[in-house]
Amino acid sequence: MMKNFSGSVAAVAAVMASVALLLVAVSPVAKAQAQTCNVTELSSCFPAYLGSTPSDTCCQKLNQQAPCFCDYAQDPTLSNFVNSTAARNIATSCNVTYPTNCS
């Protein structure tokens, strides 16, 4: 039993470390409409990404960063997270429109 628990802790720690590295590695991108795209603004959504209910702060930040979703989805370091079922579920829970046609 202890082996499974430590394996679970290690898996969660690995995911958290990966997300932390992504957040540090991604530089902000300025949008034409003066929107600053900064994926670190979505760090409050990490617990929701792991399965909890999105917080009000998460939903507010998600709404602010919505114009950046296509940029994030096309970034190779973020695409697996942004295009995930979890990300779409968070957007739905927050009543934020998730783009379906990024080109």
Side-chain angles (χ1 to χ4, degrees):
M1 178 103 155
M2 186 59 107
K3 242 182 172 178
N4 289 340
F5 178 73
S6 64
S8 297
V9 170
V12 169
V15 168
M16 290 176 67
S18 297
V19 170
L21 286 173
L22 283 174
L23 295 177
V24 171
V26 176
S27 62
V29 177
K31 297 295 284 181
Q33 63 269 71
Q35 169 67 39
T36 300
C37 295
N38 187 343
V39 74
T40 60
E41 292 290 317
L42 300 176
S43 62
S44 61
C45 294
F46 184 67
Y49 190 82
L50 294 177
S52 67
T53 302
S55 66
D56 290 341
T57 302
C58 168
C59 290
Q60 290 169 353
K61 294 296 184 177
L62 196 66
N63 191 42
Q64 292 170 358
Q65 293 292 305
C68 306
F69 288 170
C70 284
D71 290 341
Y72 297 155
Q74 294 171 349
D75 184 323
T77 60
L78 299 174
S79 62
N80 286 337
F81 295 102
V82 176
N83 293 321
S84 70
T85 301
R88 291 176 193 278
N89 289 341
I90 295 167
T92 299
S93 294
C94 292
N95 294 317
V96 174
T97 303
Y98 195 90
T100 56
N101 188 11
C102 295
S103 5

